[in-house]
Amino acid sequence: MNNEKNTKHEQHLKKRPSVMMALMPLAVLVTMLTLTIRAFGSDSLEGASQITLLIVSAFCVLVGMAYLNVPWSSFEKAITKNVSSVSSALIILLLIGALGGTWMISGVVPTLIYYGMHIISPDAFLVSSCVICALVSVMTGSSWTTIATIGIALMGIGKAQGFAEGWVAGAIISGAYFGDKISPLSDTTTMSSGALGVPLFSHIRYMLITTVPSIVLTLIIFTVAGFFCQGSQSTDVAAFTGALQQRFCITPWLLLVPFFTGVLIARRVPPVITLFLSTVMAVGFAIVFQADALHEIDPSLFRAAMKSAYGSTSLATSSPMLTDLVATRGMSGMMGTIWLIICAMCFGGCMSAGGMVSAISRLFIHMVKGRTSLVGATAATGVMLNVAIADQYLCILLTGNMFRDVYDREGYERRLLSRTTEDAVTVTSVLVPWNTCGMTQSTVLGVSAFTYLPYCFFNIISPLMSVAVAALGYKIFRKKTAEAEVTAVKAAAVPA
């Protein structure tokens, strides 16, 4: 009884923050992240951004305790709740790291790349580049890896065939971010769904409604554009595929692994089980088909197989680009992202406990007049945060936290929010020159973000498609509220 009285007394003492006060932590976050990005560049995700989040979290606690009468216990409970809510997503991220490493060492990804490279033709180079990058990105779950490896090769081939570098970079980035967006191996996809409590495969299936039309329009544009510039077949393709054959045993049998994974996904097997079984199968295929590669990692096949799942591996090849491609980081490569998520959840918990998220949500509620304006406001906020905060991971988490209560209050499913967040945040991050994604990809491809921006059609169309689908109301469902249920019961009780 005393505890209940104390809790009610604490809640009574709490003050409601104004919108200006609620926006103060975001202003501090933007300022600190700007300084962090300038100081560390693309290395900011290795720890500097995480420290920044913890510092701003401390600022939230200071404001909450000093001016809003919020006790520390409220902040602690909110942080614990936030972190526990993404625990399953963290496990999935670890398994994604293991899967990425084993799929590469087993030759699954190299086989897919090998067959994919053979579809390149001079008169359909742009659309082929987009398709190849999409396939590789779906299989690896990483747009960064795809662009830094296959993207560089395609960039050189495109220039040799006479294509403008903006067109080539746009095709590469469009395909890579399509794959990153819908791949169950993608950390951003897992983060977007996990942070909002949406099942991973349910999130991916729902995204297809906006993602498929976006990529279809993109491929049509690149197909038409490809007819304006034609060249001869580059020898780089033969050299690259030859290097793949020298390093790995390329065989159609390896395609059984992604086929088996696809079957599990189609049968809606839980993600943790799907990823685990696919990893185990890939390890078995690696022992059968890539014994030489495993021996190069470690003389013991058992140790080599374990390392491919949890640690960094590197294989020597005749192509520097291929060497970069087949290098893996396993579970250990996901620790930076996991660290970032935990710190972001601390920040989100502090914002929530202090009532700041609710204050910002109230501001957006006044702007929302229906589902179209709600989705439009979400998309606009995601793009705005990409410009202001300059990091897609933080923007994904902040957008979800800011609009979660609004969607719940309006009665819309969380998967609508998770889809809109990906449509607006994940794909537009690369279009901002000072964003970590924009800086990285422009450096890797050697093309300014301002140069490739007009040609990243998929990235531009995606947020617009999200709003368009919302306007049409296609496959957008409202949750049945308690009030609606009561009304339905009363109506049924009235005699005809």
Side-chain angles (χ1 to χ4, degrees), residues 68-283:
L68 302 174
N69 296 329
V70 181
W72 165 248
S73 59
S74 296
F75 288 104
E76 192 172 20
K77 289 177 183 176
I79 291 172
T80 302
K81 181 180 178 181
N82 266 21
V83 173
S84 64
S85 69
V86 297
S87 57
S88 60
L90 300 183
I91 295 173
I92 290 174
L93 279 173
L94 289 174
L95 288 173
I96 285 172
L99 185 66
T102 54
W103 273 36
M104 186 65 72
I105 299 302
S106 66
V108 172
V109 173
T111 297
L112 291 166
I113 294 173
Y114 176 83
Y115 290 126
M117 292 289 283
H118 280 82
I119 71 173
I120 292 180
S121 61
D123 56 350
F125 174 76
L126 290 177
V127 68
S128 296
S129 297
C130 188
V131 170
I132 290 172
C133 288
L135 291 174
V136 174
S137 190
V138 167
M139 291 302 116
T140 61
S142 172
S143 56
W144 286 34
T145 300
T146 302
I147 293 171
T149 51
I150 293 298
I152 295 176
L154 292 172
M155 197 74 205
I157 297 171
K159 288 182 179 179
Q161 293 186 352
F163 288 94
E165 59 183 13
W167 278 101
V168 181
I172 292 168
I173 291 172
S174 292
Y177 275 80
F178 164 79
D180 192 320
K181 184 181 174 187
I182 67 166
S183 174
L185 309 183
S186 170
D187 51 2
T188 57
T189 303
T190 305
M191 185 185 299
S192 298
S193 59
L196 293 170
V198 179
L200 177 60
F201 294 136
S202 176
H203 169 66
I204 292 174
R205 285 192 296 270
Y206 200 58
M207 277 201 300
L208 294 178
I209 296 172
T210 57
T211 304
V212 171
S214 298
I215 194 63
V216 168
L217 289 174
T218 300
L219 293 176
I220 291 173
I221 293 172
F222 283 127
T223 299
V224 174
F227 291 121
F228 291 98
C229 183
Q230 297 182 5
S232 58
Q233 180 70 30
S234 174
T235 57
D236 289 346
V237 175
F240 196 85
T241 54
L244 280 170
Q245 282 186 306
Q246 291 176 1
R247 174 68 274 181
F248 295 96
C249 173
I250 305 296
T251 169
W253 287 107
L254 290 169
L255 299 179
L256 288 174
V257 179
F259 175 78
F260 172 72
T261 305
V263 171
L264 292 178
I265 293 173
R267 294 182 65 85
R268 302 188 180 185
V269 176
V272 171
I273 298 176
T274 297
L275 295 172
F276 177 77
L277 292 178
S278 184
T279 299
V280 171
M281 187 176 183
V283 169

